Amino acid sequence: MSGAVEIALTVNGEAVRRAVDPRLHLVDFLRSELGLTGSHLGCEHGVCGACTVRLDGETVRGCLVLAVQADGAAVETIEGLAADPAWDDLRAAFVARNALQCGYCTPGMLASAAELLAAGGVPTRDAIRDHLSGNYCRCTGYHAIVDAVESVARARAGAPAA
Amino acid sequence: MSPPDALLHAVDRPNSWIGRARPREQAKRHAAGGGRFLDDLEPPRCLHAAFLRSPHAHARLLALDVTAAASQPGVFRVLVGADLDPVMTPWVGVLAHFKGLKSAPQYPLARGRAVFQGEPVAMVLAASRRAAEDALPHIHAEWEPLPVLTDPEESLAAPPIHAELGDNLAFTRTAETGDLQAAFARAHAVVESGFETARHTGVTLEPRGVLAHWDPAEERLTVHHGTQAPHMMKEIFVRHLGLAEEQVRVICPDVGGSYGVKIHTYQDEMACVAAARLLARPVKFVADRLESFQSDIHAREHRVHARMAVDADGRILAMDVEDLTGIGPYSVYPRTSAVEGNQVVNLSGGWYTMDAYRCRLRVAFTNKPPTCQYRAVGQPVAIALTEGLADLAARAVRLDPAEFRRRNLMPDGEYPAKAPSGVPLEGLSHQRALERLLEIMDYPALRRRQAEARAAGRHLGIGIASFIEVTNPSAMFYGVGGAPISAQDGCTVRLEPGGSATVASSLTEQGQGAEAVLAQVTADALGLDPARVRVVTGDTERTPYGGGTWASRGTGIGGEACLRAARGLSENIRALAGAVLQADPATLDLRDGAVVDAATGTGRMTLAEVGRLGYMRGDLLPPGVQPELSVTRHFQTRQYPFAFANGAQGCLLELDPETGWTSLLKHWVVEDCGTLVNPLLVDEQIRGGVVQGIGAALFEECLYDADGNLLNGTMADYLVPMAVEMPDIEVAHLCTPTAESALGAKGAGEAGTAAAPAAVMNALNDALAHFGARLTTMPFTPQRVLAALDAAGATAR
């Protein structure tokens, strides 16, 4: 085992400096080192999307990125998104439509939905489904999630509700 | 979405909450990343477990040396089977009411032999999961592979996996009613078919996990456990650790999906609890995804052959069903692995009238992971075989599938009735459900669209499936067989001095909305805003005793206990207020957080004033008045073994005969689950069930080679439904309340999963019929669709 590597990054706007094992995944780093337990591990293969976070503005799988790769980067997690009033409407829509049940996929799902919404416009339901297909949900039928994202896109665009 | 307030309860008052589509308070926390799941808990001095698991499906353990592993960095101890003997006894998954059901003793760690791939053999306990995993390769295990049984039919003829059991037939049962031979003899047509449902699993996004802590000073065991049934698990820990019940507490943190997966006795979890007892240190284990695929319960490996006899008018005369299922090497404790097949026996054909019925079940041991109750237990098999036969029979007598069902579904209004197997049915609405389904599908228009598409060279398929759904089980389900599984639930409702309410219920929450349901039921009875009701679940020390959340029993049983407790509290509040106000309690009602005059709605005193008087100002109360502002009630169903729900589903899909790809275009569900407490939650619960059922129909299968090796142990290889593959799902409701409770609620959690596979299968075969092809082996992968088309082409052209 090689020795720990020092990394410095910002997480949800906060400067963080830690010495980490080179093999440590970003999501394990966030969870175990920083206590940011809102990001979840589902498959550890980059498939299910439960660990989705933002790295320098891009959504990434926290289980496919090493913590050392985040050195010098800005990471945003669900805890950051939850504190950002810009996404109050998205979280409120998920609650209003019951677009989550157990809540395990939800942080990652919100991150991916935010990415789609940030692109602007009113995506079709098919486009929403396509965009969210890297985030698995075993509880809902996805229908309510699509409803929630669609309703936010429409409201932001000033379009009438579907 | 159901329109809000469309289905308010019959006894509504102005401030009624039962029947309202309302978001869950609890969802806000999860949407903010505030969930607390098992892996988020990390007590001081915690040891992390990693397991050496058998690489073989069946092998003798010739040597096991853990010395080198024990000296790896961060490792505290490495334990093998015999190490746990002083603290834990083995368990056997049988129940007295399944006559002849047999199984072998199961230990937390395999003893001298492993009987399925992934069976835990040794456990490393280290300062971190990483350190524990790093030590695993340093365990020296020597194996002698033994013959592997993966096929249930072959298994029945092979030497027994457990020599002491004599053979590999774990259980068999035949139900027969009426004169089968005579019914088939007078048939105008007999159709028959094989049906196969694939071995698959629940794939909870949060893997299983446990965190056990033995306090040697107090001699108490506390187990944080992602489970649906904490009181049951407590009893299991008590029994097999030889403790007294007052020594054990089970607490459920947030549970990231369960669907029946997290309600069983797992070797690795039991090993952790035993290790915590042995070492007096907190021991934590969370399965990784490979471990989940290897050791979570599997389900649904059924091979069916079934026949249906119909007369010239298309009336069903009889059904004859043979079901064979492979359950792995053990019947799972304590619910057993006989229940799934037993449901096939009980439920097949259960929504049609017929003269005679026979179903024979055989349950075989194999060397794959144990199977047990996963969402909709047995129902997808029973419904697929029944509805598959119904479509075949309709074709044989040249009836449209909808008309065939119209002629054969049990008539509404003629209940109580019995299913062909003899299972009693309280009150169902099959005919209305079918008509409502055809209406929301616009069935005639769909058939026209199908014909137009076909003319344009596109292949649409339309499938429908009627169904019954097992909900609200009584003690006849498990308790009668001796399992520590409660069919009743308890609920305490307490008025707080500030006028809010606190509810403690034996139900548990895995996201279905049990807590929201309890809040609404309480709010309804107390005239409170549901936001002012706090709900406590998932702690054996802080909730009344009860079964938990499974078999779609939460709202129907736990909700009824809550309603009774809240109504009891309402009575006590009105009695207290009446005594203070010198008013007849019968003239008082509770609305909008206050005691009001029932006739005029005039406010008399707030619930906060009641609370303050009751708790702080006994000096102001009339003599002899003792406020009782906490009420506990229990409920269980007694009259019927189950409160069956019913409904019908429809599927529209498009088949691409070039690629074998099936695109789902739309799915419809009509569900009659009696009283709806919160339609918003019910609708998405049903949709989620449909998606799991679609997964079974199109994607999901645990693939094993002939040596019992799992071939798809990652989520990249085991396919679950993604958003893009799923259609919009329209849900409509009927309401036939159960008369066993005041609430009248039945369950709705199984419906989607129960009947979606049948609806998809019938839609696919509707499209394949154009090519003379037919497919009844799930999942209907493109490969299988192309093979079916090829086979049909070879014979038809």
Side-chain angles (χ1 to χ4, degrees), chain B residues 340-467:
Chain B
E340 186 179 69
N342 199 57
Q343 299 275 64
V344 176
V345 177
N346 284 340
L347 306 180
S348 294
W351 42 106
Y352 293 121
T353 50
M354 62 189 78
D355 299 338
Y357 172 83
R358 193 189 76 106
C359 182
R360 181 173 74 133
L361 164 71
R362 289 175 303 154
V363 177
F365 290 120
T366 56
N367 293 113
K368 292 182 191 172
T371 69
C372 202
Q373 280 69 295
Y374 159 58
R375 191 175 198 169
V377 190
Q379 295 160 71
V381 183
I383 295 166
L385 76 89
T386 303
E387 293 302 275
L389 287 178
D391 270 19
L392 275 182
R395 201 161 294 143
V397 294
R398 300 178 187 286
L399 283 177
D400 182 88
E403 177 57 26
F404 181 85
R405 283 168 178 79
R406 205 173 270 137
R407 291 188 189 185
N408 285 289
L409 285 168
M410 289 184 186
D412 300 353
E414 292 187 22
Y415 293 91
K418 278 188 173 172
S421 66
V423 168
L425 308 166
E426 184 198 352
L428 304 171
S429 58
H430 287 300
Q431 294 285 352
R432 280 191 297 142
L434 175 66
E435 296 310 327
R436 183 85 179 102
L437 178 74
L438 299 175
E439 188 182 306
I440 63 171
M441 291 173 81
D442 198 351
Y443 187 75
L446 276 188
R447 286 292 179 200
R448 286 195 296 276
R449 179 173 158 195
Q450 181 182 36
E452 287 161 18
R454 194 151 285 157
R458 291 176 57 199
H459 304 280
L460 301 187
I462 302 164
I464 55 178
S466 295
F467 65 91

Side-chain angles (χ1 to χ4, degrees), chain B residues 123-463:
Chain B
M123 80 188 292
V124 178
L125 295 156
S128 70
R129 169 79 183 205
R130 283 189 285 282
E133 282 186 28
D134 285 346
L136 286 178
H138 298 276
I139 298 177
H140 174 73
E142 224 173 286
W143 297 96
E144 177 196 14
L146 297 168
V148 172
L149 298 170
T150 57
D151 181 276
E153 193 74 60
E154 284 170 22
S155 168
L156 290 177
I161 291 171
H162 306 287
E164 69 273 28
L165 300 182
D167 58 32
N168 288 324
L169 182 67
F171 180 65
T172 183
R173 182 191 156 206
T174 302
E176 189 162 358
T177 58
D179 189 338
L180 194 78
Q181 221 176 340
F184 272 89
R186 68 171 186 280
H188 169 74
V190 172
V191 293
E192 62 183 300
S193 176
F195 296 94
E196 286 189 41
T197 51
R199 173 178 275 258
H200 55 273
T201 183
V203 196
T204 61
L205 210 49
E206 179 212 27
R208 288 187 294 107
V210 68
L211 167 62
H213 182 204
W214 172 257
D215 181 334
E218 274 199 307
E219 296 196 306
R220 296 201 71 221
L221 177 74
T222 302
V223 184
H224 287 82
H225 195 195
T227 177
Q228 297 171 238
H231 290 282
M232 178 194 87
M233 287 313 303
K234 170 181 161 168
E235 176 111 6
I236 284 168
F237 300 140
V238 164
R239 280 187 187 184
H240 295 284
L241 286 163
L243 299 172
E245 63 183 8
E246 61 272 21
Q247 288 179 286
V248 179
R249 176 183 184 187
V250 177
I251 301 170
C252 301
D254 286 327
V255 178
S258 187
Y259 330 116
V261 168
K262 298 169 183 171
I263 195 167
H264 309 292
T265 306
Y266 289 97
Q267 290 173 289
D268 43 26
E269 294 174 10
M270 292 295 274
C272 289
V273 175
R277 169 80 180 87
L278 193 69
L279 304 174
R281 288 273 299 266
V283 174
K284 174 170 158 181
F285 166 69
V286 177
D288 67 23
R289 188 50 60 184
L290 175 60
E291 290 181 295
S292 301
F293 279 116
Q294 285 184 324
S295 64
D296 285 3
I297 56 109
H298 293 178
R300 310 270 208 272
E301 186 183 347
H302 286 250
R303 200 174 293 168
V304 172
H305 190 86
R307 304 189 295 150
M308 180 181 276
V310 289
D311 70 13
D313 294 331
R315 302 208 186 268
I316 300 173
L317 299 172
M319 275 175 66
D320 185 14
V321 181
E322 283 278 339
D323 180 24
L324 172 65
T325 178
I327 59 162
Y330 296 106
S331 169
V332 173
Y333 184 69
R335 301 178 113 75
T336 85
S337 306
V339 172
E340 186 179 69
N342 199 57
Q343 299 275 64
V344 176
V345 177
N346 284 340
L347 306 180
S348 294
W351 42 106
Y352 293 121
T353 50
M354 62 189 78
D355 299 338
Y357 172 83
R358 193 189 76 106
C359 182
R360 181 173 74 133
L361 164 71
R362 289 175 303 154
V363 177
F365 290 120
T366 56
N367 293 113
K368 292 182 191 172
T371 69
C372 202
Q373 280 69 295
Y374 159 58
R375 191 175 198 169
V377 190
Q379 295 160 71
V381 183
I383 295 166
L385 76 89
T386 303
E387 293 302 275
L389 287 178
D391 270 19
L392 275 182
R395 201 161 294 143
V397 294
R398 300 178 187 286
L399 283 177
D400 182 88
E403 177 57 26
F404 181 85
R405 283 168 178 79
R406 205 173 270 137
R407 291 188 189 185
N408 285 289
L409 285 168
M410 289 184 186
D412 300 353
E414 292 187 22
Y415 293 91
K418 278 188 173 172
S421 66
V423 168
L425 308 166
E426 184 198 352
L428 304 171
S429 58
H430 287 300
Q431 294 285 352
R432 280 191 297 142
L434 175 66
E435 296 310 327
R436 183 85 179 102
L437 178 74
L438 299 175
E439 188 182 306
I440 63 171
M441 291 173 81
D442 198 351
Y443 187 75
L446 276 188
R447 286 292 179 200
R448 286 195 296 276
R449 179 173 158 195
Q450 181 182 36
E452 287 161 18
R454 194 151 285 157
R458 291 176 57 199
H459 304 280
L460 301 187
I462 302 164

Side-chain angles (χ1 to χ4, degrees), chain A residues 76-136:
Chain A
E76 290 159 87
T77 70
I78 180 66
E79 288 85 355
L81 186 141
D84 182 352
W87 295 107
D88 283 356
D89 57 348
L90 179 62
R91 287 186 288 107
F94 265 60
V95 172
R97 301 276 174 153
N98 198 39
L100 62 108
Q101 287 178 29
C102 79
Y104 200 75
C105 73
T106 310
M109 192 70 79
L110 287 167
S112 291
E115 181 185 43
L116 177 66
L117 290 168
V122 180
T124 62
R125 288 179 76 82
D126 282 347
I128 296 169
R129 287 183 179 277
D130 190 54
H131 188 86
L132 296 179
S133 284
N135 293 82
Y136 290 179

